C-alpha cells in the first residue's frame, strides 16, 4: 500500500464524518439507539396491578361519599325516611342553614383546638418515647413496647370506659391519690376535654412511637456517632440530624394523627355522656350524630360530614404541598 492510497477507518472511528471519497474516509452512518426496556414509560401496567385495590376502594369509599354528598343536597328527615313525604332537592339550603347556626361555629372551633392539641401532644410523646427506646436496654425496651402496643390494641370504647372509672369522683383511684376529694372531671368543660385528651393520647402515641422508632433504626449509626463526636447535644442531634431524615415518616404520622383526632367520636361520646352538659364538649363528629340521629335531620348531619371531609382534604393537601416545596420525596 502506497502513501497516496485511500485511508480506511473502521466504522465508529471518531472524525469519520460519514463521508467517502479520494483522500477521505469511510464510515457507516450512526444510528440512534433505542432506549432500554427499563427506561421506557411503564404505561398501563402499574394501573392493572392497582385495579383490584381501586375497585375495592371505590366500593367502600367512593359510593358512600357520593351518597353522603347527595343526601346533603336533599330534604331528608324522618318523614322522608318513612315515606310520609316526598324527598325534595334543596341545593345548598342545608349548608346555608348550617352556616347560619352559631352552635356550628362554636363546635368547629372547639374541634380544631382539641384536634390540634391532641396531634401536638401525640407527636411530642411518641417521638420522645421513640428516642428513649434507642437509649434503654433490651428488657426495658421490650416492656415499654408491650405496654404501648397493649394501649394501642385496646378498643376505643373499652379504653374510654376504663378511663371514666379511673377518674370517677366516687370510686376512681385518681382523685383519692391526688387528694381531690369528689372532684368531677366530666362536669367542667375544660376538665372534660383534658380527660378526653389524655385518653386519646394514651391510645394514639404507640403508633407514632413505633413508626418513628423504626425510622430511627434505619438511620446509619455513623451519622449519629459523627454528630455526637462533634459535641452536639441530644436535642441538637434530634433537631438537626434525626428530624430532617425522618421528615417523610413524620409527615405520614402527622397526617394520620390529624385525621384520627379531628374525627374523634367514641371517646367524647362515652366519656362526656354524648357531648357534655348542654353540649359544652361537642365536636363535629358528635354534633353530626346528634343532628342526624337524635334530631332525625339526616340532611344536616350529612352536610356536617361533607364539611369535615373538605376540611381534612384541604389540610392534608396543604401539608403535602408545603413538604414538597422543601424538596422531600413522599
Amino acid at each position: 500500500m502506497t502513501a497516496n492510497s485511500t485511508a480506511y477507518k473502521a466504522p465508529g472511528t471518531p472524525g469519520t464524518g460519514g463521508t467517502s471519497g479520494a483522500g477521505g474516509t469511510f464510515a457507516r452512518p450512526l444510528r440512534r439507539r433505542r432506549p432500554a426496556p427499563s427506561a421506557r414509560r411503564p404505561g398501563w401496567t402499574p394501573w392493572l396491578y392497582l385495579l383490584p385495590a381501586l375497585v375495592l376502594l371505590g366500593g367502600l369509599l367512593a359510593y358512600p361519599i357520593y351518597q353522603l354528598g347527595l343526601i346533603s343536597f336533599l330534604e331528608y328527615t324522618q318523614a322522608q325516611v318513612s315515606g310520609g313525604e316526598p324527598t325534595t332537592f334543596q341545593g345548598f339550603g342545608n349548608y346555608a342553614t348550617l352556616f347560619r347556626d352559631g352552635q356550628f361555629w362554636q363546635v368547629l372551633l372547639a374541634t380544631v383546638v382539641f384536634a390540634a392539641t391532641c396531634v401536638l401532644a401525640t407527636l411530642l410523646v411518641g417521638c420522645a418515647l421513640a428516642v428513649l427506646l434507642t437509649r434503654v436496654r433490651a428488657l426495658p425496651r421490650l416492656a415499654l413496647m408491650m405496654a404501648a402496643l397493649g394501649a394501642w390494641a385496646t378498643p376505643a370504647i373499652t379504653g374510654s370506659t376504663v378511663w371514666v372509672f379511673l377518674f370517677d369522683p366516687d370510686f376512681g383511684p385518681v382523685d383519692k391519690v391526688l387528694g381531690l376529694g369528689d372532684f368531677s372531671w366530666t362536669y367542667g368543660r375544660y376538665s372534660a376535654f383534658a380527660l378526653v385528651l389524655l385518653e386519646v393520647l394514651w391510645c394514639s402515641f404507640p403508633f407514632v412511637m413505633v413508626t418513628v422508632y423504626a425510622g430511627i433504626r434505619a438511620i446509619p449509626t455513623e451519622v449519629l456517632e459523627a454528630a455526637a463526636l462533634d459535641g452536639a447535644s441530644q436535642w441538637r442531634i434530634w433537631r438537626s440530624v434525626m428530624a430532617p431524615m425522618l421528615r417523610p415518616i413524620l409527615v405520614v404520622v402527622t397526617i394520620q394523627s390529624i385525621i384520627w383526632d379531628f374525627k374523634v367520636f367514641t371517646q367524647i361520646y362515652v366519656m362526656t355522656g354524648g357531648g357534655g352538659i348542654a353540649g359544652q364538649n361537642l365536636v363535629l363528629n358528635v354534633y353530626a350524630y346528634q343532628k342526624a340521629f337524635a334530631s332525625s335531620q339526616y340532611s344536616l348531619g350529612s352536610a356536617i360530614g361533607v364539611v369535615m371531609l373538605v376540611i381534612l382534604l384541604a389540610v392534608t393537601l396543604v401539608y403535602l404541598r408545603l413538604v414538597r416545596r422543601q424538596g422531600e420525596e413522599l
Side-chain angles (χ1 to χ4, degrees), residues 74-108:
L74 302 176
E75 177 66 26
Y76 201 72
T77 61
Q78 188 61 39
Q80 284 75 27
V81 173
S82 61
E85 296 181 6
T87 302
T88 57
F89 182 75
Q90 298 293 318
F92 289 96
N94 292 317
Y95 293 95
T97 301
L98 184 65
F99 294 153
R100 286 195 299 264
D101 187 4
Q103 187 182 15
F104 166 76
W105 295 107
Q106 295 176 2
V107 173
L108 176 60

Side-chain angles (χ1 to χ4, degrees), residues 179-200:
L180 298 178
D182 57 351
F183 177 75
S184 177
W185 290 81
T186 58
Y187 182 79
R189 183 187 186 189
Y190 297 106
S191 60
F193 269 128
L195 181 60
V196 177
L197 186 147
L198 291 176
E199 201 282 332
V200 172

Side-chain angles (χ1 to χ4, degrees), residues 14 20 24 28 44 88 116 118 129 150 157 172 182 290:
S20 62
R28 295 179 183 176
W44 292 96
T88 57
C118 287
L129 291 179
I157 189 170
D182 57 351
Q290 288 189 352

Side-chain angles (χ1 to χ4, degrees), residues 65 68-70 72-73 95 301-311:
I65 291 175
L68 182 72
L70 178 62
S72 68
F73 289 104
Y95 293 95
S302 299
I304 297 172
V306 172
V307 171
M308 291 180 59
L309 178 62
V310 171
I311 292 175

Side-chain angles (χ1 to χ4, degrees), residues 286-306:
V286 180
Y287 185 58
Y289 175 84
Q290 288 189 352
K291 288 293 184 182
F293 298 101
S295 303
S296 298
Q297 297 177 345
Y298 303 105
S299 301
L300 289 179
S302 299
I304 297 172
V306 172

